[in-house]
Amino acid sequence: MKMSKILRVLAIFFYCSLSLTSQTHAQENEVESLKEEIRALNQTVQKLSTVVEKQNQRIDELEQKPLPKEQEAVSPKDPAPAITVAETPPAETQSETTRSLGAWKYKAGSGGAWKLLPDISVIGIFSGAYFSQEPEEDIEHDPTRTGFTLQEVEIAFQSVIDPYVRADVFLAVGEEGVELEEAFITTLSLPKGFQVKAGKYLVPFGRQNQKHVERWPFTNNNLPNRFFFSGEGFNELGVEFSYLFPTPFFFQSQFSFTQGDNEGNFDGGRKEDFAYDGRLVGSTDITPNLTALLGGSVAYGFNNTAPGNQTLLLGGDFLLKWKPSRETGIEWQTEYIYRSLQIPGGNQQEGGISTYLLGQWSRRWGAGMRFDYFGFPRADFDAWRISPIASFYPSEFFRLRAQYDYLDESGVEPSHIGILQMIFNMGPHGAHQF
């Protein structure tokens, strides 16, 4: 029994010794692992310290470097981190811009003679047409014969003159020669909402009258504008005052005081025979993609039928435009014009309406339909026309349009007309009218 007890004691002793030895080795391994982690952390800290030291040296160098003149004028309260100073281009680079005429690029900076050069653009409108019945009159800017027609080559010069005004000059080159289409200045610094335009310009009566030929929605003018204003449109020398009301939606009033030289409407022979025009227009977004516009116009002046005889023009227009994307959209526009013309022995009243629907279903293709009617409330003459059109847009600088007209005028056999039109643009061109 004593021997067995001794063996038990020895076994317990060896077991405890082995356990202590294994625990000691485990602790030693854990300590070595912690030491390795600490050495790795020390190396990382040293690397980060080196990076921070280099960054501080770079900041010191940049702070000692003199700032550009534009940066010196900045208030000390404005934040100016070092990276902003390093990325600011030199003053002479900031002041230089470029303008173009087609492929020709030229400098237009804030100094020297470059600032005197305006933006120059050239827009050409050519067409080929077929008429089953040759028209009796030649309407300027409209294709009016079988064969080819130079509708217009427009040359535009546009520039900001100084902080107070900008200038726009448009020359129209046609088959008969060159004429001044528009030349006016527009104020830039009047109190908020007010603006003045002075010179020769298309009077803001309705929507169609204010558009240049290349912006017409169809290849020719609509019947009411053609009969009332001829090919030149309601174009006058004068001054226009406008005010944009501070409303949450677009709401603008315009008033023009003009010379009164519009043939057939305001061409009285007396020195006091001026013409006056007013327009009120507002628009609102029905949805983010759908906009509605409503406008009303009035013009008053003296005609040449007899001294003191007066002419009154009234107009109303409506536009509904849906634009879900840059490449697709639909617009519907309707415009009505009424004229009361005082003549010897009476008063002549006449009116006309034009409505169209235009759609674009892809970046390059669109189509539409227009209906014109002239005669209401006039009874001795009337005319109506229906015009489908298809358009191809290779780019914003080039367009092709094919249009068919069925025209029925009282006293004349109905006419079938086919028109193929080409429009190109060289150089910068301004924003399009909404």
Side-chain angles (χ1 to χ4, degrees):
M1 294 294 294
K2 291 183 179 179
M3 182 58 67
S4 60
K5 288 182 179 180
I6 293 171
L7 291 174
R8 286 181 183 178
V9 171
L10 290 174
I12 292 171
F13 174 79
F14 282 115
Y15 176 78
C16 292
S17 298
L18 291 172
S19 298
L20 289 174
T21 302
S22 61
Q23 289 180 4
T24 302
H25 284 296
Q27 290 178 354
E28 289 177 354
N29 290 335
E30 185 176 358
V31 170
E32 288 297 327
S33 177
L34 290 174
K35 288 181 179 180
E36 288 294 333
E37 291 180 4
I38 292 173
R39 282 195 290 269
L41 287 174
N42 287 332
Q43 292 177 357
T44 302
V45 170
Q46 290 177 359
K47 291 180 180 179
L48 290 175
S49 300
T50 303
V51 172
V52 171
E53 185 178 354
K54 290 182 178 179
Q55 291 291 335
N56 289 331
Q57 291 177 357
R58 179 60 178 161
I59 291 173
D60 293 338
E61 292 175 0
L62 291 175
E63 288 179 346
Q64 294 174 3
K65 184 179 179 180
L67 296 175
K69 293 182 180 180
E70 288 83 354
Q71 294 293 330
E72 291 177 358
V74 177
S75 170
K77 297 180 181 179
D78 296 333
I83 190 169
T84 302
V85 178
E87 293 183 354
T88 302
E92 60 271 17
T93 303
Q94 289 181 331
S95 64
E96 290 182 358
T97 59
T98 59
R99 291 177 176 152
S100 62
L101 173 57
W104 176 48
K105 303 286 185 180
Y106 57 91
K107 294 180 181 180
S110 61
W114 299 114
K115 65 180 180 180
L116 302 177
L117 294 176
D119 286 332
I120 304 172
S121 63
V122 179
I123 301 175
I125 306 104
F126 299 89
S127 64
Y130 165 78
F131 288 80
S132 62
Q133 302 290 331
E134 292 295 320
E136 297 180 356
E137 58 178 338
D138 185 13
I139 303 298
E140 190 168 358
H141 300 313
D142 276 8
T144 52
R145 65 172 182 262
T146 297
F148 300 100
T149 301
L150 170 60
Q151 291 186 249
E152 183 182 80
V153 174
E154 180 183 274
I155 305 174
F157 304 88
Q158 299 173 283
S159 179
V160 174
I161 303 300
D162 54 34
Y164 307 102
V165 295
R166 64 164 290 127
D168 297 86
V169 178
F170 300 92
L171 301 178
V173 182
E175 296 180 2
E176 302 298 326
V178 182
E179 63 180 356
L180 180 63
E181 187 174 21
E182 288 191 286
F184 56 86
I185 61 171
T186 307
T187 60
L188 301 174
S189 59
L190 291 183
K192 188 174 182 180
F194 290 95
Q195 194 172 69
V196 177
K197 180 165 71 176
K200 178 179 171 64
Y201 56 91
L202 291 166
V203 176
F205 186 94
R207 286 184 55 80
Q208 175 72 5
N209 184 71
Q210 301 180 63
K211 297 178 181 178
H212 290 189
V213 180
E214 73 275 6
R215 298 312 313 162
W216 286 355
F218 288 75
T219 64
N220 48 15
N221 209 348
N222 63 45
L223 289 182
N225 283 75
R226 170 182 165 182
F227 282 118
F228 285 131
F229 302 128
S230 72
E232 290 299 318
F234 190 3
N235 195 322
E236 292 274 0
L237 278 166
V239 58
E240 175 191 312
F241 305 91
S242 63
Y243 178 68
L244 184 62
F245 293 91
T247 54
F249 55 91
F250 176 80
F251 188 43
Q252 184 185 44
S253 65
Q254 296 166 283
F255 171 77
S256 286
F257 172 54
T258 61
Q259 186 66 29
D261 288 330
N262 183 253
E263 184 179 355
N265 294 305
F266 312 112
D267 50 358
R270 304 178 302 174
K271 64 179 181 180
E272 66 269 24
D273 287 347
F274 298 104
Y276 311 89
D277 170 82
R279 177 167 172 79
L280 197 63
V281 60
S283 70
T284 185
D285 293 331
I286 301 175
T287 69
N289 300 323
L290 183 64
T291 302
L293 180 145
L294 185 65
S297 305
V298 58
Y300 170 82
F302 302 89
N303 60 58
N304 67 349
T305 59
N309 279 1
Q310 303 169 1
T311 300
L312 174 66
L313 286 170
L314 299 175
D317 53 270
F318 171 76
L319 173 69
L320 191 65
K321 193 168 186 176
W322 179 61
K323 195 70 174 174
S325 70
R326 181 181 178 182
E327 299 178 352
T328 59
I330 298 175
E331 69 175 66
W332 171 41
Q333 179 176 302
T334 301
E335 184 170 353
Y336 177 78
I337 301 177
Y338 165 82
R339 179 171 71 178
S340 176
L341 188 70
Q342 189 176 3
I343 58 177
N347 198 51
Q348 179 177 309
Q349 301 181 29
E350 50 201 353
I353 189 170
S354 177
T355 183
Y356 70 79
L357 186 69
L358 280 177
Q360 185 174 351
W361 64 84
S362 69
R363 184 173 68 88
R364 295 185 175 181
W365 290 98
M369 181 77 71
R370 178 184 65 186
F371 176 77
D372 300 336
Y373 178 77
F374 180 84
F376 180 79
R378 183 174 177 175
D380 58 340
F381 173 81
D382 67 346
W384 66 273
R385 179 177 62 186
I386 187 167
S387 308
I389 189 174
S391 303
F392 176 58
Y393 309 89
S395 71
E396 64 174 313
F397 300 98
F398 182 63
R399 282 181 289 162
L400 285 174
R401 301 195 289 188
Q403 179 178 315
Y404 166 76
D405 287 350
Y406 178 83
L407 176 63
D408 189 350
E409 298 178 284
S410 59
V412 181
E413 185 177 347
S415 180
H416 301 272
I417 306 166
I419 303 172
L420 181 63
Q421 185 187 67
M422 175 183 68
I423 303 176
F424 68 85
N425 180 91
M426 297 192 305
H429 58 292
H432 300 158
Q433 183 190 37
F434 176 77

